[in-house]
Amino acid sequence: MNLPVSPSSRSSPFTRWQIAAAIVALLAAAALPWAVSEFMASIALSCLMYIALSTSWSIFCGATRYLSLATSAFFGLGAYASAMLLDVLPWALVIAAGALIAAVTALVIGAAVLHLRGTYFAVLTFGMTELIRHAITFVEKQVSGTVGRVLTVVPSSETVYLTMLLIAAASIGVAMWVRRSRFGLALAGIGADEQRAQTLGVNTRNAKLAGFALTAAFAGAVGAAMAVRWTYIEPPAVFSPFIGFQTVLIALIGGTASIGGPVLAAIVFSLLAETLRLQLPYGYMMVLGLLLILCVLYLPNGLASLWQRRPTRPLENGHG
């Protein structure tokens, strides 16, 4: 099968000044822990967390239009992998283990539910998340007699921040690569018309499994890195549905068809969370819901539509 090549993939996607601006932004972000207060560094860490989660979620779900609610399951598995392996493995291998465990779990879940679409797929992925959370709770009670784990050896806050920065940058880079690759074209074909993609020779099952596992790997890596922010982790905290729901909302409000949209939305909502959560615990969720409604009504393609060029209307019968 010869897949069509998009016009954007035949030319260089970035200019030199864009690449230079990205490098400068990355270096500036890397210097933040030493230039700002601990509180501001914590906010920046939350921003990076949701940038990585929402961007990686959009790699698969944005292209295929499969609404996955399993992000918190992969995040929690990564967090527990970190809690169990942090004493015996180097930090880099701990992150890799969290990503690997989440990806393998995604392959198992995907093999069971990726033949479904729409509401059925969303409900089943949420149900799988709850099943994993309760399974971890049961095993914890049977093995250790308690639920939760104490983290006694943790890396420095600067190490955690730089790790999250690398994961966020990697998620953006991979998202850019996927959207310009044959693999990304296959995912987009599945989202447009899965049956037609099959008739054109796309192995839709393998493409969906690979995309779902890729998304899960990033969520697992994020969970492994963020677990050390707590001195004690337990299933209700690291498998919290709020993590998955907020990831989906950020991606939808930012615009799943873009990369800059989820990044901008993650920054905005992380700042809103820290600003409103302490003073107005329910105000944050109200603002989140209101912005989602406004985006659905007026910006169906998310915040990204504010700067994306509108396609020009074709000439009809040779007349303007």
Side-chain angles (χ1 to χ4, degrees):
M1 171 200 170
N2 292 323
L3 287 172
V5 180
S6 61
S8 61
S9 63
R10 291 194 294 261
S11 59
S12 178
F14 307 110
T15 61
R16 291 182 179 180
W17 73 265
Q18 287 175 323
I19 296 175
I23 294 175
V24 170
L26 187 62
L27 293 176
L32 272 181
W34 293 273
V36 299
S37 65
E38 185 175 347
F39 175 72
M40 293 302 298
S42 176
I43 295 177
L45 186 62
S46 297
C47 290
L48 293 175
M49 167 183 163
Y50 281 108
I51 286 173
L53 290 177
S54 59
T55 302
S56 60
W57 185 89
S58 296
I59 292 175
F60 171 72
C61 299
T64 62
R65 301 180 184 179
Y66 275 73
L67 181 61
S68 170
L69 299 178
T71 301
S72 55
F74 305 136
F75 180 94
L77 287 171
Y80 260 86
S82 181
M84 291 186 292
L85 300 175
L86 199 57
D87 294 339
V88 296
L89 290 179
W91 175 241
L93 291 182
V94 169
I95 303 300
L100 179 61
I101 291 172
V104 171
T105 304
L107 290 176
V108 175
I109 294 177
V113 303
L114 275 173
H115 64 283
L116 302 173
R117 288 191 73 112
T119 305
Y120 298 101
F121 178 77
V123 170
L124 278 177
T125 51
F126 180 75
M128 290 287 187
T129 300
E130 291 299 295
L131 177 63
I132 292 173
R133 179 172 71 87
H134 288 294
I136 294 293
T137 302
F138 175 78
V139 171
E140 286 277 272
K141 288 182 178 179
Q142 295 298 317
V143 173
S144 60
T146 60
V147 178
R149 291 180 177 269
V150 178
L151 302 179
T152 56
V153 179
V154 297
S156 66
S157 58
E158 291 81 8
T159 299
V160 176
Y161 177 87
L162 292 177
T163 300
M164 272 307 312
L165 179 61
L166 289 176
I167 295 173
S171 69
I172 294 173
V174 170
M176 290 178 176
W177 170 79
V178 167
R179 295 191 182 205
R180 302 181 62 82
S181 67
R182 294 172 62 87
F183 173 54
L185 193 60
L187 294 179
I190 292 171
D193 190 333
E194 187 167 346
Q195 290 184 345
R196 185 179 180 185
Q198 287 178 329
T199 61
L200 291 174
V202 176
N203 190 328
T204 57
R205 176 181 172 82
N206 288 348
K208 289 188 294 184
L209 283 173
F212 195 47
L214 179 62
T215 295
F218 276 105
V222 172
M226 296 297 290
V228 298
R229 293 190 70 187
W230 301 287
T231 56
Y232 178 80
I233 67 169
E234 56 182 351
V238 296
F239 290 96
S240 172
F242 177 79
I243 296 173
F245 290 147
Q246 179 155 307
T247 297
V248 174
L249 289 176
I250 287 174
L252 292 178
I253 292 174
T256 57
S258 74
I259 296 175
V263 171
L264 175 62
I267 295 173
V268 170
F269 288 115
S270 295
L271 294 175
L272 281 176
E274 297 299 332
T275 303
L276 299 177
R277 192 173 293 168
L278 296 178
Q279 299 179 354
L280 299 172
Y282 300 101
Y284 169 65
M285 296 305 298
M286 292 173 61
V287 171
L288 193 65
L290 178 61
L291 287 177
L292 177 62
I293 293 172
L294 292 176
C295 281
V296 170
L297 292 177
Y298 301 106
L299 296 174
N301 293 324
L303 296 177
S305 60
L306 294 175
W307 63 79
Q308 287 177 340
R309 296 180 180 178
R310 295 183 179 180
T312 56
R313 298 181 62 182
L315 297 179
E316 298 179 2
N317 299 324
H319 302 286

PDB file of all heavy atoms in Angstrom, residues 38 68 101 116 121 127 134 152 190 192-193 233 238 241 263 289 297 302 313:
ATOM      1  N   GLU A  38      10.372  28.405  45.386  1.00  0.00           N
ATOM      2  CA  GLU A  38       9.973  27.001  45.388  1.00  0.00           C
ATOM      3  C   GLU A  38       8.512  26.834  44.976  1.00  0.00           C
ATOM      4  O   GLU A  38       8.152  25.878  44.295  1.00  0.00           O
ATOM      5  CB  GLU A  38      10.200  26.403  46.783  1.00  0.00           C
ATOM      6  CG  GLU A  38       9.938  24.914  46.866  1.00  0.00           C
ATOM      7  CD  GLU A  38      10.280  24.340  48.222  1.00  0.00           C
ATOM      8  OE1 GLU A  38      10.947  25.044  49.024  1.00  0.00           O
ATOM      9  OE2 GLU A  38       9.879  23.194  48.498  1.00  0.00           O
ATOM     10  N   SER A  68     -10.234   8.218  25.376  1.00  0.00           N
ATOM     11  CA  SER A  68      -9.689   7.367  26.430  1.00  0.00           C
ATOM     12  C   SER A  68      -9.744   8.076  27.778  1.00  0.00           C
ATOM     13  O   SER A  68      -9.342   9.229  27.899  1.00  0.00           O
ATOM     14  CB  SER A  68      -8.234   6.994  26.111  1.00  0.00           C
ATOM     15  OG  SER A  68      -7.631   6.362  27.217  1.00  0.00           O
ATOM     16  N   ILE A 101       5.875  -0.416  31.989  1.00  0.00           N
ATOM     17  CA  ILE A 101       4.744  -1.090  32.631  1.00  0.00           C
ATOM     18  C   ILE A 101       3.417  -0.520  32.131  1.00  0.00           C
ATOM     19  O   ILE A 101       2.467  -1.256  31.846  1.00  0.00           O
ATOM     20  CB  ILE A 101       4.850  -0.949  34.163  1.00  0.00           C
ATOM     21  CG1 ILE A 101       6.032  -1.771  34.678  1.00  0.00           C
ATOM     22  CG2 ILE A 101       3.558  -1.396  34.853  1.00  0.00           C
ATOM     23  CD1 ILE A 101       6.346  -1.549  36.150  1.00  0.00           C
ATOM     24  N   LEU A 116     -13.965  -1.300  20.120  1.00  0.00           N
ATOM     25  CA  LEU A 116     -15.137  -0.475  20.396  1.00  0.00           C
ATOM     26  C   LEU A 116     -14.814   0.984  20.121  1.00  0.00           C
ATOM     27  O   LEU A 116     -13.664   1.386  20.059  1.00  0.00           O
ATOM     28  CB  LEU A 116     -15.576  -0.649  21.850  1.00  0.00           C
ATOM     29  CG  LEU A 116     -15.930  -2.075  22.280  1.00  0.00           C
ATOM     30  CD1 LEU A 116     -16.172  -2.124  23.778  1.00  0.00           C
ATOM     31  CD2 LEU A 116     -17.169  -2.570  21.527  1.00  0.00           C
ATOM     32  N   PHE A 121     -16.184   2.716  24.387  1.00  0.00           N
ATOM     33  CA  PHE A 121     -14.748   2.733  24.634  1.00  0.00           C
ATOM     34  C   PHE A 121     -14.404   3.614  25.833  1.00  0.00           C
ATOM     35  O   PHE A 121     -13.607   3.232  26.689  1.00  0.00           O
ATOM     36  CB  PHE A 121     -14.010   3.233  23.390  1.00  0.00           C
ATOM     37  CG  PHE A 121     -12.519   3.324  23.561  1.00  0.00           C
ATOM     38  CD1 PHE A 121     -11.742   2.184  23.526  1.00  0.00           C
ATOM     39  CD2 PHE A 121     -11.901   4.553  23.760  1.00  0.00           C
ATOM     40  CE1 PHE A 121     -10.362   2.258  23.688  1.00  0.00           C
ATOM     41  CE2 PHE A 121     -10.532   4.630  23.922  1.00  0.00           C
ATOM     42  CZ  PHE A 121      -9.751   3.484  23.883  1.00  0.00           C
ATOM     43  N   GLY A 127     -13.688   2.114  33.335  1.00  0.00           N
ATOM     44  CA  GLY A 127     -13.894   0.929  34.167  1.00  0.00           C
ATOM     45  C   GLY A 127     -12.603   0.164  34.400  1.00  0.00           C
ATOM     46  O   GLY A 127     -12.351  -0.337  35.500  1.00  0.00           O
ATOM     47  N   HIS A 134      -8.539  -0.863  42.173  1.00  0.00           N
ATOM     48  CA  HIS A 134      -8.990  -1.796  43.209  1.00  0.00           C
ATOM     49  C   HIS A 134      -8.084  -3.023  43.285  1.00  0.00           C
ATOM     50  O   HIS A 134      -7.879  -3.583  44.379  1.00  0.00           O
ATOM     51  CB  HIS A 134     -10.435  -2.211  42.946  1.00  0.00           C
ATOM     52  CG  HIS A 134     -11.437  -1.132  43.226  1.00  0.00           C
ATOM     53  ND1 HIS A 134     -11.674  -0.642  44.500  1.00  0.00           N
ATOM     54  CD2 HIS A 134     -12.245  -0.421  42.398  1.00  0.00           C
ATOM     55  CE1 HIS A 134     -12.601   0.299  44.451  1.00  0.00           C
ATOM     56  NE2 HIS A 134     -12.961   0.462  43.190  1.00  0.00           N
ATOM     57  N   THR A 152      11.038   6.755  50.904  1.00  0.00           N
ATOM     58  CA  THR A 152      12.111   7.175  51.822  1.00  0.00           C
ATOM     59  C   THR A 152      13.299   7.773  51.095  1.00  0.00           C
ATOM     60  O   THR A 152      13.995   8.629  51.634  1.00  0.00           O
ATOM     61  CB  THR A 152      12.583   5.973  52.660  1.00  0.00           C
ATOM     62  OG1 THR A 152      12.991   4.917  51.780  1.00  0.00           O
ATOM     63  CG2 THR A 152      11.453   5.468  53.557  1.00  0.00           C
ATOM     64  N   ILE A 190      -7.741   6.413  10.511  1.00  0.00           N
ATOM     65  CA  ILE A 190      -8.653   5.709  11.409  1.00  0.00           C
ATOM     66  C   ILE A 190      -9.693   6.670  11.973  1.00  0.00           C
ATOM     67  O   ILE A 190     -10.881   6.355  12.075  1.00  0.00           O
ATOM     68  CB  ILE A 190      -7.864   5.026  12.545  1.00  0.00           C
ATOM     69  CG1 ILE A 190      -7.017   3.889  11.980  1.00  0.00           C
ATOM     70  CG2 ILE A 190      -8.807   4.502  13.635  1.00  0.00           C
ATOM     71  CD1 ILE A 190      -6.042   3.297  12.969  1.00  0.00           C
ATOM     72  N   ALA A 192     -10.742   9.448  10.590  1.00  0.00           N
ATOM     73  CA  ALA A 192     -11.634   9.932   9.536  1.00  0.00           C
ATOM     74  C   ALA A 192     -12.642   8.869   9.127  1.00  0.00           C
ATOM     75  O   ALA A 192     -13.844   9.133   9.040  1.00  0.00           O
ATOM     76  CB  ALA A 192     -10.814  10.379   8.331  1.00  0.00           C
ATOM     77  N   ASP A 193     -12.156   7.666   8.870  1.00  0.00           N
ATOM     78  CA  ASP A 193     -13.038   6.567   8.455  1.00  0.00           C
ATOM     79  C   ASP A 193     -12.261   5.269   8.603  1.00  0.00           C
ATOM     80  O   ASP A 193     -11.453   4.919   7.742  1.00  0.00           O
ATOM     81  CB  ASP A 193     -13.505   6.765   7.011  1.00  0.00           C
ATOM     82  CG  ASP A 193     -14.604   5.791   6.608  1.00  0.00           C
ATOM     83  OD1 ASP A 193     -14.659   4.689   7.177  1.00  0.00           O
ATOM     84  OD2 ASP A 193     -15.409   6.137   5.723  1.00  0.00           O
ATOM     85  N   ILE A 233       2.354   7.532  48.984  1.00  0.00           N
ATOM     86  CA  ILE A 233       1.384   7.405  47.903  1.00  0.00           C
ATOM     87  C   ILE A 233       0.413   6.284  48.215  1.00  0.00           C
ATOM     88  O   ILE A 233       0.760   5.297  48.874  1.00  0.00           O
ATOM     89  CB  ILE A 233       2.068   7.145  46.542  1.00  0.00           C
ATOM     90  CG1 ILE A 233       2.753   5.776  46.529  1.00  0.00           C
ATOM     91  CG2 ILE A 233       3.052   8.239  46.205  1.00  0.00           C
ATOM     92  CD1 ILE A 233       3.205   5.352  45.149  1.00  0.00           C
ATOM     93  N   VAL A 238      -2.961   8.468  43.447  1.00  0.00           N
ATOM     94  CA  VAL A 238      -2.262   8.360  42.158  1.00  0.00           C
ATOM     95  C   VAL A 238      -3.146   7.814  41.045  1.00  0.00           C
ATOM     96  O   VAL A 238      -2.836   7.988  39.864  1.00  0.00           O
ATOM     97  CB  VAL A 238      -0.990   7.497  42.304  1.00  0.00           C
ATOM     98  CG1 VAL A 238       0.003   8.164  43.228  1.00  0.00           C
ATOM     99  CG2 VAL A 238      -1.328   6.096  42.797  1.00  0.00           C
ATOM    100  N   PRO A 241      -9.349   9.840  39.390  1.00  0.00           N
ATOM    101  CA  PRO A 241      -9.986  10.149  38.090  1.00  0.00           C
ATOM    102  C   PRO A 241      -9.783  11.605  37.682  1.00  0.00           C
ATOM    103  O   PRO A 241      -9.836  11.919  36.483  1.00  0.00           O
ATOM    104  CB  PRO A 241     -11.472   9.850  38.365  1.00  0.00           C
ATOM    105  CG  PRO A 241     -11.483   8.914  39.520  1.00  0.00           C
ATOM    106  CD  PRO A 241     -10.297   9.296  40.365  1.00  0.00           C
ATOM    107  N   VAL A 263      -0.576  22.687  24.973  1.00  0.00           N
ATOM    108  CA  VAL A 263       0.495  23.284  25.774  1.00  0.00           C
ATOM    109  C   VAL A 263       0.008  24.566  26.436  1.00  0.00           C
ATOM    110  O   VAL A 263       0.189  24.785  27.643  1.00  0.00           O
ATOM    111  CB  VAL A 263       1.731  23.564  24.887  1.00  0.00           C
ATOM    112  CG1 VAL A 263       2.766  24.376  25.664  1.00  0.00           C
ATOM    113  CG2 VAL A 263       2.343  22.266  24.393  1.00  0.00           C
ATOM    114  N   GLY A 289     -15.227  24.079  33.706  1.00  0.00           N
ATOM    115  CA  GLY A 289     -16.451  23.710  32.996  1.00  0.00           C
ATOM    116  C   GLY A 289     -16.952  24.831  32.101  1.00  0.00           C
ATOM    117  O   GLY A 289     -17.403  24.597  30.972  1.00  0.00           O
ATOM    118  N   LEU A 297     -18.833  25.916  22.130  1.00  0.00           N
ATOM    119  CA  LEU A 297     -19.776  26.779  21.416  1.00  0.00           C
ATOM    120  C   LEU A 297     -19.088  27.671  20.394  1.00  0.00           C
ATOM    121  O   LEU A 297     -19.590  27.845  19.273  1.00  0.00           O
ATOM    122  CB  LEU A 297     -20.553  27.640  22.421  1.00  0.00           C
ATOM    123  CG  LEU A 297     -21.537  26.898  23.339  1.00  0.00           C
ATOM    124  CD1 LEU A 297     -22.165  27.865  24.331  1.00  0.00           C
ATOM    125  CD2 LEU A 297     -22.630  26.212  22.519  1.00  0.00           C
ATOM    126  N   GLY A 302     -10.803  24.284  19.622  1.00  0.00           N
ATOM    127  CA  GLY A 302      -9.996  24.607  20.784  1.00  0.00           C
ATOM    128  C   GLY A 302      -9.291  25.946  20.665  1.00  0.00           C
ATOM    129  O   GLY A 302      -9.482  26.703  19.711  1.00  0.00           O
ATOM    130  N   ARG A 313     -11.409  29.637   0.741  1.00  0.00           N
ATOM    131  CA  ARG A 313     -12.488  28.980   0.016  1.00  0.00           C
ATOM    132  C   ARG A 313     -12.087  28.772  -1.445  1.00  0.00           C
ATOM    133  O   ARG A 313     -11.600  29.684  -2.107  1.00  0.00           O
ATOM    134  CB  ARG A 313     -13.761  29.823   0.106  1.00  0.00           C
ATOM    135  CG  ARG A 313     -14.271  29.992   1.508  1.00  0.00           C
ATOM    136  CD  ARG A 313     -15.539  30.821   1.527  1.00  0.00           C
ATOM    137  NE  ARG A 313     -16.592  30.141   0.766  1.00  0.00           N
ATOM    138  CZ  ARG A 313     -17.804  30.680   0.587  1.00  0.00           C
ATOM    139  NH1 ARG A 313     -18.078  31.882   1.083  1.00  0.00           N
ATOM    140  NH2 ARG A 313     -18.717  30.021  -0.096  1.00  0.00           N
TER     141      ARG A 313
END
